[in-house]
Amino acid sequence: MELLTEYLAKGFMTMLTISLPCVLVAAGIGLVVGILQAVTQVQEQTIAAAPKIIAVFLTIVILGMLYIRILTEYFNEGVNLAFNVISRSANYVLPEDYYFHSRPFASEMKDSINPKSGEIETIMKHPGKIPWADTQFKDKYTPRGRGADPRPNFIETNKMLGR
């Protein structure tokens, strides 16, 4: 379990490594623009946003290859961990008869058909008559309401053309 916790901590450090330069550049530009606005007494919000956006964009462009390398190493370590370390460790793998003794999705399987009850043979012999279907909610044909567009819909067109 320590291995997975260590990998999660490395993920947080990767996230901080990638986001920290962009945040620091935006904060630095915000500080400089704030000082300039205080000196000139120009209090416009859009003046502060444009330099931040441009500076963060340039930071991402300049450090982009480093970010890709960091994320690639993190991804490769995760794949190695998943396929080579955890899959071969007896501590992380479930026994082969795990689902024989437990039913993890039993609460979601309320509409399942019991094969021993004979319902499957009934359904196969009478395919149009499903035993649990509620007939009052069956879709019925109702003509389309007439509004600004008096053209018939697809079903009405087929009835008129005799298809």
Side-chain angles (χ1 to χ4, degrees), residues 35-128:
I35 291 171
L36 288 175
Q37 282 182 334
V39 169
T40 60
Q41 295 182 353
V42 176
Q43 299 299 323
E44 180 64 32
Q45 296 295 328
T46 57
I47 293 174
K52 285 183 194 177
I53 292 170
I54 293 169
V56 170
F57 176 74
L58 288 175
T59 304
I60 291 172
V61 168
I62 292 169
L63 298 176
M65 291 307 294
L66 175 67
Y67 292 163
I68 289 172
R69 192 176 311 119
I70 291 170
L71 287 172
T72 304
E73 289 174 6
Y74 182 68
F75 176 76
N76 288 338
E77 185 178 342
V79 169
N80 181 39
L81 191 68
F83 292 112
N84 295 332
V85 177
I86 293 177
S87 63
R88 294 193 177 123
S89 174
N91 296 333
Y92 296 109
V93 179
L94 294 174
E96 61 184 39
D97 62 343
Y98 176 75
Y99 290 116
F100 181 74
H101 301 291
S102 66
R103 297 195 44 156
F105 302 108
S107 62
E108 288 91 4
M109 300 171 61
K110 293 177 183 168
D111 293 336
S112 63
I113 299 173
N114 186 1
K116 297 176 184 173
S117 67
E119 290 177 342
I120 295 177
E121 288 83 15
T122 306
I123 293 171
M124 295 301 285
K125 289 178 185 174
H126 309 287

